[in-house]
Every structure is written in structure tokens, then in C-alpha cells.
Amino acid sequence: MTTGTEETTLTIDELAARAGMTVRTVRFYGTKGLLPPPVLGPRRVGHYGREHLARLALIEELQQQGMTLAAIERYVQQLPPDLDAHDLAIHRAVVASWAPDAVETVTRPELERRAGRALGDDDVERLAAMGVVKPDDGGDGYRVDLGLLRLGVGLLDVPLSQEAILAARKVLIGHSRSAAHELAQLFRGEVSQRATQDVKSLSAHMQPLVVQALLTTFQRSLREELREWLGGVSEEGRSA
């Protein structure tokens, strides 16, 4: 369901289904202050938006990192109150960068539960083409890259062709590897004379910081590119 401004609005049942959680869990997070209250509509029915969904995804990621509920509460309380869905997605991406690669074998119903939505055969084929899932050779299950699943599911609704998405993926991987290589060379010179334990400690602290810096820089650069492109389109429209 969307409003006139294309802002997603969900009932609590729809929000829970999209997040892959139970309604009881969503209500519990609300009572703990981890989730902002919904907007009350006609007949006092609560409506939730993209920010609520993004916040639930962040909470789930924090749980997967082994954080206790009390620690998650402290983390969420430190976040600025006006973060939108995009900002929350950046926080979640930084948190996810702390974890090692996680690939699991799941059944089709479990895959849909993790995705937070029903998946048709075409959807699964697109996820497989993006490298998010892979049919398990030993049965009817799927090998799923949990770090990429939410991203892949989000891309299912993006109005881009499969070819464009795969080309974008190739560009991002190429530039990310290049940036990682250059940064590794830079840091290597700084830590070459340090003890192994010091190097591991520095790496553990630097990884989330570097990921956040890359995400923030990319987000701002992309906004500038889109602003210039849309400005050029507007100029062409006026001159036509």
C-alpha cells in the first residue's frame, strides 16, 4: 500500500510479514522503544513506513551479531531520531560488515521467510542470477548468501532490467576491489612493524569505519550525479 507520495504504508501484520517476524515480536520491540509508534489512520489503525521496516532489519542484524537486547537498546537510543530508511540501511550495512560471510542452506518456505515476502519462480531466478541464491545440488533447498539476501530482494522491485542490475553489480565489485586493494596497501605500510595482535586489533576497528566511509562517500557522490542528470533532463525538456 502506498500514499499519494509513493510512501509505503503497512499495517502491523504486513510489516511483520515483510520483516520476517511475528506481530508479537514487532509489538514487543515497540514497547521497548526500539520502534517508533505508527501513524494512526482511520479507526485508529496504525500504519508503518519504510523507516520501520529498515529499523527492524537493523535490529535483526544486531541480533545476528550476538548483541543482547539491552545492548541493542543502547545502540538504537544513540541513533539520531530523524534517520530515514536510507540512513538506517547504511547503519545496517556497517553492522553487517563486522560479520564473516554467512551462507546457509534453506528450504523454499524458509527462503521466503528470510526474504519477508512470497517469491515466485521468476524472483528466485533473478536472485540466482545476482548470486544471492543457488539451488542446492543435494536436494530441494537453496544455498543463500544472507549478507546479500535483503539487498537482492530489494532489487526485485527496482524498475531495472536484469542486464542493467548485473552490469551495475560488475561495476561495483570492480571498483570495490580496487579501493580495497589500494587501502590495504596504504594500511600495510602503517602496520608493517607492529605485532600481529596489534594488526588484528587495528583491522577489526578499521573495517566498519572504512565501510561506513565508503558508503557515505558513495551515497553523496550518487546524489550529486543524479542531481546533475535530472537537471540536464529538465533543461532538455524546457528546450524541446
Side-chain angles (χ1 to χ4, degrees):
M1 178 181 176
T2 58
T3 66
T5 58
E6 297 301 316
E7 180 66 24
T8 299
T9 59
L10 305 166
T11 65
I12 191 169
D13 296 283
E14 293 169 335
L15 176 68
R18 289 278 294 273
M21 301 177 180
T22 65
V23 171
R24 182 178 180 181
T25 299
V26 174
R27 292 189 190 280
F28 174 73
Y29 289 151
T31 61
K32 287 292 184 179
L34 298 177
L35 205 62
V39 176
L40 295 180
R43 293 180 293 181
R44 297 188 63 79
V45 175
H47 292 287
Y48 300 81
R50 296 182 186 275
E51 290 79 8
H52 294 90
L53 191 60
R55 194 170 288 262
L56 287 176
L58 174 60
I59 294 170
E60 183 182 40
E61 192 66 54
L62 292 169
Q63 285 182 321
Q64 291 179 359
Q65 301 304 317
M67 292 182 66
T68 64
L69 180 61
I72 293 175
E73 288 184 53
R74 289 194 296 272
Y75 184 97
V76 172
Q77 287 171 358
Q78 294 174 358
L79 296 176
D82 58 345
L83 291 183
D84 61 17
H86 293 91
D87 296 326
L88 289 166
I90 290 178
H91 275 272
R92 180 182 173 275
V94 172
V95 172
S97 74
W98 306 343
D101 294 339
V103 178
E104 292 185 13
T105 300
V106 300
T107 62
R108 178 68 171 265
E110 177 64 12
L111 174 62
E112 294 186 345
R113 190 191 73 79
R114 296 288 186 94
R117 57 182 280 182
L119 298 172
D121 291 340
D122 290 343
D123 294 329
V124 175
E125 288 180 6
R126 292 192 71 185
L127 291 174
M130 288 185 276
V132 177
V133 304
K134 180 181 179 181
D136 184 28
D137 296 332
D140 298 329
Y142 297 89
R143 298 276 292 167
V144 184
D145 187 328
L146 299 179
L148 294 176
L149 181 57
R150 285 192 179 275
L151 172 62
V153 171
L155 286 173
L156 294 177
D157 297 325
V158 175
L160 289 175
S161 67
Q162 185 71 21
E163 292 75 13
I165 291 175
L166 293 179
R169 178 174 181 266
K170 183 177 180 180
V171 170
L172 289 172
I173 290 176
H175 285 285
S176 298
R177 286 178 177 169
S178 176
H181 176 73
E182 292 187 27
L183 288 172
Q185 294 294 328
L186 176 64
F187 295 146
R188 190 170 298 162
E190 293 290 321
V191 302
S192 59
Q193 303 301 320
R194 300 191 185 187
T196 302
Q197 190 59 39
D198 291 338
V199 174
K200 289 182 178 180
S201 177
L202 178 63
S203 176
H205 284 85
M206 286 300 298
Q207 183 178 352
L209 295 177
V210 169
V211 172
Q212 185 170 23
L214 288 172
L215 285 168
T216 303
T217 302
F218 175 76
Q219 184 183 40
R220 291 175 178 173
S221 298
L222 185 58
R223 283 176 179 172
E224 291 175 3
E225 288 288 334
L226 290 175
R227 191 179 299 115
E228 292 179 6
W229 175 54
L230 292 175
V233 171
S234 298
E235 289 295 332
E236 291 178 5
R238 284 194 290 266
S239 62

